[in-house]
Amino acid sequence: MAIVLNRTSVADRSLSAVQAGLFSARSESSSSHTSDALGRIGVRVRFAKQETIFNDGDRADHAYKVISGTVRLCKHTQDGRRQIADFLLAGDVFGGFSGVDEHSCTAEAVSDVVLMSYPKLQLDRLGNSTPGLSGYLISVLSKKLLKTREHLVVLGRQTAKERVASFLLNLAERAEVESGDSLDLPMGRQDIADHLGLTIETVCRVITDLKRSGIVAIPHQNQLLLNSIAALRAIVSSEA
Amino acid sequence: MAIVLNRTSVADRSLSAVQAGLFSARSESSSSHTSDALGRIGVRVRFAKQETIFNDGDRADHAYKVISGTVRLCKHTQDGRRQIADFLLAGDVFGGFSGVDEHSCTAEAVSDVVLMSYPKLQLDRLGNSTPGLSGYLISVLSKKLLKTREHLVVLGRQTAKERVASFLLNLAERAEVESGDSLDLPMGRQDIADHLGLTIETVCRVITDLKRSGIVAIPHQNQLLLNSIAALRAIVSSEA
DNA sequence: CGACTGATTGATACGTCTCAAGGATAGTGG
DNA sequence: CCACTATCCTTGAGACGTATCAATCAGTCG
């Protein structure tokens, strides 16, 4: 049960030039100047599958960027219900920024994960001396807010089938996968259910349905062959 | 049907000192220095009840702050379903910030509304010369993101009764209302339903239920006497 | 191989939606 | 000021979608 592949020590830094390069992966709006500055204050850390990165309520003294692997952000209720607010993939930024003292979610590694960790204090200081950085963070937060609001539509107004289709389309887009390609599902069915506000059984039934309609195929349970992204889009065509 | 109380012209500016003061209402973390700078680029605008402030997809060249009244942010689906992502009250900031070119929601006035309008270009420029401003915006966005994620729990994992209780508690907190006080509901039942992912009928039934249990009373349909906030909290006690 | 974890499928229950009607409220014009 | 009307709110009966409970199946690891 105990996980041994624990986070590397803070002393384990790689070349900052490499960090800078990794930081800017998938973030086109971040200037190289900004990346360099961030590379200098970032530390590479590793978490094993299912390991906790931080807990809801913990003091938020770091921000993170995903280098590889998948992270989930969860909210838990007292009676054990769980809502996964977001899955974070390579290039995504998360954690504590200016003006937030405590983490408002639990972050856990869905797969083995490599992150860059940025101390909030240094990040704030850097923000004042690096003009582009604040704008970059504002832009990142604005986009996350926008995506989260789109997810409100999924949870508030879509059927089970539409939710699963929306989820697969989102993943496919972020993984830059097209019709005919296969898509990795790093998270289990329960994670998908808790992201979509469904039960694991309903998620299974919908996927089975998609399989029967020939829209997807399941070579392995963590992998999914997307025969027709257009058909998925048709399912959520209700979207604006 | 047509609404005549239209927005005041851009030329209708009040004293910037007054604007600055209004801007900082309810935003403790914004320094007076920041407020002054914002006051100088802000313009006071008015929208009548049910009027559209901007549409989903419109070019986002302004950010706004609510001075008085209530605004709703909605996402619409092709087939007419609607999800209200947020209700914005006095002190709330919304609209376009750095890095977002298009509005991702429709903003409408729930009641007659007074806003401060800030041109994004000037806001960006001001951000570079006013150190506190960017941090303030990062903080505002972080908090909105946090609240929106909490709303994901409501939509994904709560029952109808819990949703309505959560909603009333949220409103009560933002309006700084306590047990025994009465709470204004500027929005109609349909708006509440579209915010909570329910139908108007279900919202009505739950409110009737709360009335029967003596937790609330309804003097007018837009007003609600909160007999016991503790009882509402008990309903959502499942929350972490 | 056996045991465990996660995924799938089935039968039934329950909560919320849908459709339909009636009641209250607010705004309008005589 | 009162009827008139439109809009919104409320309540009821029945349908539907998803949850729940239970069993089986499939893949993984020791």
Side-chain angles (χ1 to χ4, degrees):
Chain A
M1 193 66 95
I3 289 155
V4 287
L5 237 184
N6 253 306
R7 76 195 70 174
T8 55
S9 85
V10 171
D12 171 22
R13 313 190 181 208
S14 7
L15 287 170
S16 66
V18 172
Q19 290 163 13
L22 286 164
F23 187 91
S24 61
R26 296 177 58 92
S27 43
E28 61 296 324
S29 63
S30 148
S31 71
S32 65
H33 177 215
T34 301
S35 299
D36 288 353
L38 280 167
R40 252 173 264 128
I41 66 163
V43 175
R44 200 180 176 83
V45 289
R46 236 168 247 282
F47 291 88
K49 189 172 176 173
Q50 305 296 12
E51 203 178 347
T52 299
I53 297 162
F54 53 74
N55 278 296
D56 195 347
D58 282 358
R59 216 152 63 78
D61 34 25
H62 291 271
Y64 301 89
K65 177 147 193 160
V66 179
I67 303 304
S68 69
T70 304
V71 171
R72 61 175 174 249
L73 289 184
C74 333
K75 303 272 320 171
H76 292 270
T77 61
Q78 287 187 330
D79 60 353
R81 284 176 278 182
R82 185 177 70 153
Q83 176 66 40
I84 296 182
D86 204 1
F87 290 109
L88 305 164
L89 311 182
D92 281 336
V93 179
F94 67 105
F97 301 110
S98 295
V100 176
D101 294 330
E102 291 187 0
H103 288 299
S104 57
C105 286
T106 297
E108 294 160 336
V110 170
S111 58
D112 289 353
V113 160
V114 179
L115 306 176
M116 289 297 288
S117 166
Y118 306 95
K120 195 171 72 171
L121 273 172
Q122 292 185 47
L123 199 61
D124 284 350
R125 208 179 312 143
L126 198 62
N128 293 331
S129 58
T130 315
L133 179 57
S134 294
Y136 167 68
L137 287 180
I138 291 172
S139 153
V140 163
L141 285 168
S142 294
K143 282 171 191 163
K144 263 302 168 206
L145 186 56
L146 179 164
K147 287 291 178 188
T148 306
R149 281 173 176 160
E150 282 174 6
H151 198 51
L152 290 178
V153 179
V154 172
L155 296 186
R157 288 298 180 224
Q158 292 191 347
T159 65
K161 198 168 183 178
E162 289 170 333
R163 293 182 201 206
V164 173
S166 295
F167 172 71
L168 294 177
L169 284 171
N170 258 312
L171 264 193
E173 191 181 345
R174 294 167 80 184
E176 290 169 28
V177 153
E178 304 184 358
S179 278
D181 293 349
S182 77
L183 178 66
D184 274 346
L185 298 177
M187 68 293 290
R189 298 291 189 267
Q190 185 64 61
D191 281 352
I192 297 175
D194 286 344
H195 183 51
L196 297 179
L198 299 170
T199 59
I200 187 174
E201 293 95 330
T202 300
V203 170
C204 278
R205 281 186 250 270
V206 171
I207 290 177
T208 301
D209 226 57
L210 295 176
K211 220 165 26 178
R212 270 201 266 272
S213 339
I215 295 172
V216 304
I218 317 282
H220 308 290
Q221 15 173 97
N222 321 332
Q223 215 175 36
L224 191 139
L225 186 69
L226 287 173
N227 289 321
S228 167
I229 288 190
L232 286 179
R233 275 199 235 281
I235 291 174
V236 290
S237 65
S238 53
E239 264 186 26
Chain B
M1 192 67 96
I3 289 153
V4 286
L5 236 185
N6 253 305
R7 77 196 71 173
T8 55
S9 86
V10 171
D12 169 22
R13 312 189 181 208
S14 7
L15 289 170
S16 67
V18 172
Q19 291 163 10
L22 286 165
F23 187 91
S24 62
R26 295 176 60 91
S27 44
E28 61 295 326
S29 62
S30 147
S31 72
S32 65
H33 177 213
T34 301
S35 300
D36 287 354
L38 281 166
R40 251 173 263 128
I41 66 164
V43 175
R44 202 180 175 83
V45 290
R46 236 167 248 283
F47 291 87
K49 188 172 176 173
Q50 305 297 14
E51 203 178 346
T52 299
I53 297 163
F54 53 73
N55 278 298
D56 195 347
D58 281 358
R59 216 153 61 79
D61 34 25
H62 291 270
Y64 301 89
K65 178 147 192 161
V66 179
I67 303 304
S68 69
T70 303
V71 172
R72 63 175 173 249
L73 290 184
C74 333
K75 303 270 324 169
H76 292 270
T77 61
Q78 286 186 330
D79 61 353
R81 285 176 278 181
R82 186 177 70 153
Q83 175 66 41
I84 295 182
D86 204 1
F87 291 110
L88 305 164
L89 310 182
D92 282 334
V93 179
F94 67 104
F97 300 110
S98 296
V100 176
D101 295 329
E102 291 188 0
H103 288 299
S104 56
C105 286
T106 297
E108 295 160 336
V110 170
S111 59
D112 288 353
V113 160
V114 179
L115 305 176
M116 289 297 288
S117 166
Y118 307 96
K120 195 171 72 172
L121 273 172
Q122 292 185 48
L123 200 60
D124 284 350
R125 208 179 310 141
L126 199 62
N128 293 330
S129 58
T130 315
L133 179 57
S134 293
Y136 168 69
L137 288 180
I138 291 172
S139 153
V140 163
L141 285 168
S142 295
K143 282 170 191 162
K144 263 301 168 207
L145 187 55
L146 178 166
K147 288 291 180 188
T148 306
R149 281 174 176 159
E150 281 173 8
H151 198 51
L152 290 179
V153 179
V154 172
L155 297 186
R157 287 299 180 222
Q158 292 191 343
T159 65
K161 198 167 185 179
E162 289 170 332
R163 291 182 202 206
V164 173
S166 295
F167 172 70
L168 294 178
L169 283 171
N170 258 314
L171 263 193
E173 190 181 345
R174 293 167 81 184
E176 290 168 28
V177 154
E178 304 183 358
S179 278
D181 293 349
S182 77
L183 178 67
D184 274 346
L185 298 177
M187 68 293 292
R189 300 289 189 268
Q190 185 65 61
D191 281 353
I192 298 176
D194 286 344
H195 183 51
L196 297 179
L198 299 169
T199 59
I200 187 173
E201 293 96 330
T202 299
V203 170
C204 277
R205 282 186 249 269
V206 171
I207 290 177
T208 301
D209 226 59
L210 295 176
K211 221 165 26 178
R212 270 201 266 274
S213 341
I215 296 172
V216 304
I218 317 281
H220 308 291
Q221 26 175 81
N222 318 333
Q223 216 175 35
L224 190 139
L225 187 69
L226 288 173
N227 289 322
S228 168
I229 288 189
L232 286 179
R233 275 199 237 281
I235 291 172
V236 290
S237 64
S238 53
E239 262 188 26

